[in-house]
Amino acid sequence: MIQQVTEKIKQWCPQAEVETAGETVVSVPADKLEDVCRKLHDDTDEPMDYMRDLVGVDHGEGVLGVYYLLESTRTGGRVMLRAEAKGGEENPLLPSVCRIWKTAEIKEREAFDFFGIRFTGHPDMRRLFLREDWKGYPLRKDYDMDSNPLELTSEVNADVTEEFNLRPDGTLERRENVVFNPDDFVVNIGPQHPSTHGALRMRTSLEGETVKHIDPVLGYIHRGIEKMNESLTYPQTLAFTDRLDYLSAHQNRHALCMCIEQAAGIEVTERVQYIRTIMDELQRIASHLLFYSCLVMDMGALTPFFYGFREREMILDIFEETTGGRLIQNYNVIGGVQADIHPTFVQKVKEFTKHMREIIHEYHEIFTGSVIARNRLKQMGLLSREDAISLATTGGTGRASGWANDVRKHHPYALYDKVDFKEIVYTHGDSWDRYMVRMDEILESCAIIDQLIDNIPEGEFRVKVKPVLKLPEGVFTASVESSRGEFGVFLVSRGDKSPYRLHYRSTGLPLVHAMDTVCRGNKIADLIAIGGTLDFVIPDIDR
Amino acid sequence: MEMKHRKLPTTKDMRPEEFKNNDYLLRMAEELNRDGAGIVLGTLDDLINWGRSNSVWSLALGTSCCAIEFMALGAARYDMARFGFEVTRNSPRQADLLMVLGTINYRMAPVLKRLYDQMAEPKYVIAVGGCTISGGPFRKSYYVVNGIDKIVPVDVYIPGCPPRPEALFYGMMQLQRKIKMERFLGKRDRNEVPQGLMENKEEKA
Ligand code: SF4
């Protein structure tokens, strides 16, 4: 399949080169990039309409590059492109693809923030995570780590932004675009706001009560994980994954372990696959329960909050017995899991799924059926299927808009091709459907667990792996379905004991980016409820 | 027959028998007060502090993981209402306690400082989790503040990543002890400018 795509690209652009170290990457010259992307997107047999990720890499010696990870929602085929920025270190330039995939709007800003690559034609070239007065680009290899001291005053956020376009003679034209007009009524929400689920800030302009535009200001919990990864050994990098989206701790770590195992050619035992899959699903239930608790609390109901936490504590107990951690478990390791399951694990999990099935009607009775919930969720915050794909809002949010995007179904890993489960898809794309997707998924996860729990085979829970691991040269990726979408790992190895670049696909970044599209035209009072149903976790966005 | 004691767990850092609950501090304060404090003011102080320490309203500045454990504290199983902590305020003007839950980075630092400044005296700060104490796992990052005591004075540190709910309780109860020992009617002795900041300023000058 991948051959067909590369053949096609070669036809359109004969200079394209195919690199096969690790995964197949098609490298395209910068001036042909937009053209190739457009053709891939508009292809009739296999339209690459979903941009999974856009990752910047500093190749060293002044060469900055960007990887484009594309997927077709029709066939599930994937392809990875690479382009090198023109203009060297001083003035790296690449054409923007944000008119083809909307999600590139925010991803290109990330690449600009970290690497200083400017995308021509992008309407909003501002920094994304770092302070607007930050000096330097931290993910470049020659970045001086002490170049910016701690300031105790906030910078002023500019109301205008820049756009750069290439003139035919090769010179650069700078244009100023307006984010907010002086007479816009702008309400600042966050970063210290109880309902933004972390340190998120949204500058929101209003027309009366109606939301006109949302400008998310991110980076209040940016921790520089991707930079730190580059100076850690592979087993050390695992610890950060739990702390990204801590409600998907198992799944995130699963993805990284899978990626490293694949690259190093380590085969894990059947027992490990069982344990990992069960843990992933337990984690998903715990996360969805917290989603429920938070959503209802944001909407002003307190009692259901206690319901959600009551069952969630049961899962945390199960986690704790086996892994020693409640919220952050540090359980998956390269080659297996940290410790074997607790003797009572099987019995407790079985008790839990049974209990969950019997009790979920309480959740629906107290909240789902209520008039307030219906009025505040139905037909609110509409997101069409096209927008969902273009904005790359994976997970429950995409599935509520009719986009079947479950990685477990379409690119199965671990044991997901052996179990029988439904992919929950709704079609209206409103807050209500986003809520229902998650509630239904709780039961689906119970079903998956039930199929596995009695059959955990005997075997090693961990294969021996050298503590200092060297991966072969190349590009490696892995993706899993985390509690709130596709979590991806992108790893560039140069054969060392630490990664050359290790990037994570944030599940939440596209969701926050979608806030503008989803909330526009809705009342400000519904903004929090809509944000609640999108279900993002901020540390995972900021990384 | 003699009952067999369960073997105590061995840990690298602190042995269970070394664990002190710090309640001796309260006894000490009581003794001192008996000799020195004025009867009227002293008794009034006790009364006020009893009230204050059992109704600490917190501003939960939850930026990441640790905040979720704090939420668990609010739910039925751990139920912090037992200690008078259940009211969390979302405005600094109404809070006595700033709970810092989660990593504080260079963008958030000014916000944290501002929230602290906006709170009315008497005010307290609890630093929860490795991140707030020293930067925790992200100590080497270019963007993470290595300890919030560089920005605001901290009363109680609760280590862990994240701390267990029990640890959170223990830390919060330490704060209660601290409050109980204070003289409310009279001047409070607090270091308004944290040391780290002073050093920074001197360096710059
Ligand atoms: S101390 Fe650990 S759990 Fe707490 S915020 Fe930091 S990384 Fe998260």
Side-chain angles (χ1 to χ4, degrees):
Chain A
M1 240 180 14
I2 184 86
Q3 269 100 346
Q4 282 173 10
V5 187
T6 49
E7 283 308 310
K8 256 189 248 168
I9 298 174
K10 280 227 161 158
Q11 259 174 29
W12 298 325
C13 165
Q15 302 100 307
E17 279 167 35
V18 182
E19 299 158 12
T20 48
E23 262 160 69
T24 309
V25 181
V26 186
S27 114
V28 181
D31 44 352
K32 283 279 161 51
L33 179 74
E34 214 181 339
D35 185 43
V36 170
C37 284
R38 172 65 70 194
K39 282 184 175 145
L40 277 173
H41 180 270
D42 296 344
D43 193 52
T44 40
D45 310 325
E46 193 173 42
M48 294 286 169
D49 45 358
Y50 161 39
M51 172 185 249
R52 293 164 61 211
D53 213 348
L54 185 154
V55 195
V57 175
D58 181 356
H59 293 294
E61 284 151 18
V63 183
L64 299 166
V66 172
Y67 287 80
Y68 300 83
L69 282 69
L70 310 176
E71 183 175 320
S72 168
T73 56
R74 191 180 303 161
T75 64
R78 288 173 169 179
V79 65
M80 204 187 318
L81 301 183
R82 185 173 81 92
E84 276 173 16
K86 277 190 173 172
E89 240 174 12
E90 261 80 82
N91 192 18
L93 289 175
L94 265 178
S96 169
V97 292
C98 70
R99 294 213 174 77
I100 306 174
W101 299 281
K102 269 195 218 158
T103 183
E105 278 171 19
I106 201 117
K107 297 266 166 79
E108 288 178 345
R109 273 179 71 189
E110 180 188 314
F112 170 65
D113 201 5
F114 288 164
F115 295 95
I117 303 171
R118 280 192 272 187
F119 293 85
T120 51
H122 188 293
D124 182 7
M125 271 283 101
R126 276 178 300 163
R127 280 193 180 271
L128 185 62
F129 297 128
L130 303 178
R131 290 172 61 110
E132 280 175 30
D133 53 5
W134 195 259
K135 290 189 274 306
Y137 302 102
L139 266 93
R140 286 197 185 176
K141 291 286 174 188
D142 57 0
Y143 175 74
D144 172 13
M145 292 291 255
D146 302 318
S147 52
N148 289 277
L150 175 61
E151 302 277 350
L152 284 185
T153 43
S154 291
E155 82 278 23
V156 180
N157 292 113
D159 283 339
V160 289
T161 171
E162 297 173 308
E163 172 176 342
F164 296 93
N165 280 301
L166 225 41
R167 291 202 195 90
D169 60 353
T171 53
L172 212 56
E173 175 194 296
R174 181 179 174 279
R175 217 172 71 190
E176 221 160 64
N177 289 339
V178 176
V179 185
F180 293 115
N181 281 313
D183 53 352
D184 271 340
F185 185 78
V186 181
V187 178
N188 179 59
I189 303 171
Q192 160 55 22
H193 187 279
S195 301
T196 51
H197 302 195
L200 171 68
R201 181 171 162 214
M202 290 176 281
R203 295 200 292 164
T204 311
S205 69
L206 300 177
E207 185 80 65
E209 261 190 283
T210 312
V211 175
K212 216 164 89 184
H213 176 58
I214 295 180
D215 178 39
V217 185
L218 304 174
Y220 285 92
I221 181 74
H222 175 61
R223 293 148 157 177
I225 289 179
E226 293 182 6
K227 181 75 175 182
M228 277 187 284
N229 278 339
E230 292 169 12
S231 52
L232 297 175
T233 62
Y234 287 104
Q236 286 174 330
T237 57
L238 293 180
F240 292 143
T241 51
D242 290 53
R243 287 152 181 90
L244 285 165
D245 172 359
Y246 35 78
L247 301 178
S248 311
H250 271 302
Q251 297 132 346
N252 292 354
R253 209 168 156 113
H254 189 169
L256 182 54
C257 288
M258 234 161 55
C259 185
I260 296 174
E261 282 156 10
Q262 238 170 42
I266 298 166
E267 190 77 45
V268 297
T269 60
E270 193 74 0
R271 186 178 179 81
V272 172
Q273 300 285 28
Y274 269 80
I275 298 174
R276 282 184 178 173
T277 315
I278 294 171
M279 286 293 190
D280 280 5
E281 291 312 309
L282 283 174
Q283 180 85 73
R284 194 180 320 279
I285 300 174
S287 169
H288 287 349
L289 289 174
L290 195 86
F291 157 81
Y292 174 83
S293 297
C294 289
L295 176 69
V296 295
M297 203 163 63
D298 291 349
M299 288 173 64
L302 193 59
T303 312
F305 166 79
F306 294 112
Y307 285 24
F309 265 78
R310 181 183 59 197
E311 270 73 54
R312 185 171 173 267
E313 286 289 343
M314 291 179 72
I315 300 184
L316 297 192
D317 278 348
I318 297 172
F319 281 164
E320 196 181 353
E321 271 184 350
T322 290
T323 71
R326 281 163 49 86
L327 178 72
I328 286 176
Q329 300 97 356
N330 298 323
Y331 188 51
N332 284 320
V333 292
I334 302 167
V337 291
Q338 187 78 43
D340 208 353
I341 48 174
H342 193 266
T344 61
F345 180 80
V346 173
Q347 182 212 340
K348 287 223 167 137
V349 170
K350 280 206 271 194
E351 277 168 17
F352 170 76
T353 53
K354 182 162 173 285
H355 171 79
M356 192 70 233
R357 282 217 178 81
E358 283 165 4
I359 203 117
I360 197 157
H361 72 93
E362 285 191 7
Y363 288 61
H364 291 306
E365 272 155 28
I366 197 164
F367 183 73
T368 318
S370 89
V371 168
I372 300 176
R374 283 172 186 263
N375 285 346
R376 290 200 59 191
L377 295 177
K378 284 210 162 160
Q379 290 302 314
M380 289 295 167
L382 293 173
L383 179 68
S384 68
R385 184 171 185 272
E386 289 70 47
D387 278 346
I389 295 173
S390 183
L391 287 163
T393 54
T394 51
T397 306
R399 290 197 284 279
S401 300
W403 173 26
N405 59 30
D406 198 323
V407 184
R408 295 174 293 171
K409 262 280 185 263
H410 304 287
H411 299 277
Y413 53 96
L415 291 178
Y416 288 111
D417 48 353
K418 299 218 176 71
V419 289
D420 179 29
F421 70 103
K422 268 208 313 281
E423 178 175 6
I424 312 285
V425 179
Y426 279 72
T427 49
H428 296 105
D430 56 358
S431 291
W432 177 264
D433 281 4
R434 287 192 283 272
Y435 163 72
M436 285 313 287
V437 165
R438 278 152 186 131
M439 296 313 282
D440 290 357
E441 278 186 0
I442 293 180
L443 292 178
E444 268 325 292
S445 292
C446 287
I448 296 177
I449 294 171
D450 285 348
Q451 292 171 46
L452 299 174
I453 192 73
D454 279 324
N455 311 321
I456 303 178
E458 292 296 318
E460 293 283 314
F461 62 86
R462 182 179 189 178
V463 293
K464 273 235 154 55
V465 175
K466 275 185 280 171
V468 177
L469 201 63
K470 282 190 181 172
L471 296 193
E473 248 176 78
V475 180
F476 303 94
T477 63
S479 64
V480 298
E481 182 72 19
S482 85
S483 306
R484 43 188 61 63
E486 178 178 343
F487 177 82
V489 175
F490 175 90
L491 194 157
V492 182
S493 160
R494 292 225 165 156
D496 296 327
K497 59 184 193 313
S498 18
Y500 186 76
R501 171 105 167 89
L502 180 50
H503 163 90
Y504 301 118
R505 179 194 192 269
S506 152
T507 50
L509 187 60
L511 297 177
V512 166
H513 180 217
M515 277 296 272
D516 184 35
T517 313
V518 178
C519 292
R520 203 173 278 188
N522 285 277
K523 297 271 190 308
I524 179 132
D526 291 317
L527 185 140
I528 293 297
I530 294 172
T533 59
L534 287 177
D535 192 21
F536 34 69
V537 165
I538 317 296
D540 152 69
I541 296 168
D542 286 357
R543 282 162 282 143
Chain B
M1 213 172 66
E2 211 181 310
M3 269 240 304
K4 264 221 176 118
H5 284 286
R6 261 185 68 219
K7 225 180 113 206
L8 288 168
T10 48
T11 58
K12 241 190 267 166
D13 317 313
M14 186 161 97
R15 288 214 298 281
E17 55 269 28
E18 281 167 13
F19 176 77
K20 285 201 190 74
N21 209 10
N22 289 355
D23 45 359
Y24 69 95
L25 282 173
L26 286 183
R27 282 198 299 278
M28 225 166 73
E30 220 170 84
E31 264 169 42
L32 286 173
N33 274 348
R34 219 181 293 139
D35 301 336
I39 293 185
V40 180
L41 283 189
T43 323
L44 212 54
D45 246 357
D46 281 350
L47 187 69
I48 293 173
N49 284 343
W50 173 77
R52 285 200 310 136
S53 63
N54 288 310
S55 62
V56 183
W57 289 11
S58 60
L59 169 72
L61 180 64
T63 59
S64 49
C65 350
C66 281
I68 304 292
E69 281 300 62
F70 188 66
M71 279 173 74
L73 236 63
R77 184 188 206 173
Y78 291 101
D79 188 16
M80 57 182 169
R82 293 178 292 162
F83 305 94
F85 281 113
E86 78 275 24
V87 189
T88 56
R89 292 280 106 181
N90 300 316
S91 158
R93 306 277 186 211
Q94 303 165 339
D96 310 303
L97 162 66
L98 181 60
M99 283 292 270
V100 187
L101 304 140
T103 326
I104 297 296
N105 68 10
Y106 280 26
R107 195 162 210 173
M108 198 65 185
V111 181
L112 169 66
K113 175 93 177 84
R114 186 145 170 209
L115 284 169
Y116 178 78
D117 290 344
Q118 283 175 338
M119 285 168 64
E121 287 277 359
K123 53 188 170 187
Y124 306 91
V125 179
I126 296 188
V128 181
C131 284
T132 54
I133 296 172
S134 67
F138 312 105
R139 197 177 162 73
K140 290 204 179 121
S141 165
Y142 53 86
Y143 213 51
V144 172
V145 177
N146 289 346
I148 59 160
D149 48 9
K150 288 200 167 72
I151 308 166
V152 295
V154 177
D155 292 274
V156 177
Y157 298 87
I158 307 180
C161 186
R164 292 187 52 81
E166 290 86 347
L168 279 162
F169 274 139
Y170 177 67
M172 290 163 97
M173 283 156 78
Q174 292 290 6
L175 180 71
Q176 288 185 324
R177 296 203 173 100
K178 197 163 174 172
I179 295 175
K180 278 194 195 138
M181 282 171 55
E182 269 172 8
R183 279 174 57 201
F184 184 72
L185 305 165
K187 239 178 76 198
R188 280 177 75 225
D189 178 24
R190 280 177 75 84
N191 230 354
E192 275 305 324
V193 187
Q195 258 174 351
L197 204 62
M198 298 273 277
E199 280 162 23
N200 271 354
K201 270 196 185 137
E202 274 158 24
E203 265 171 40
K204 259 190 201 163

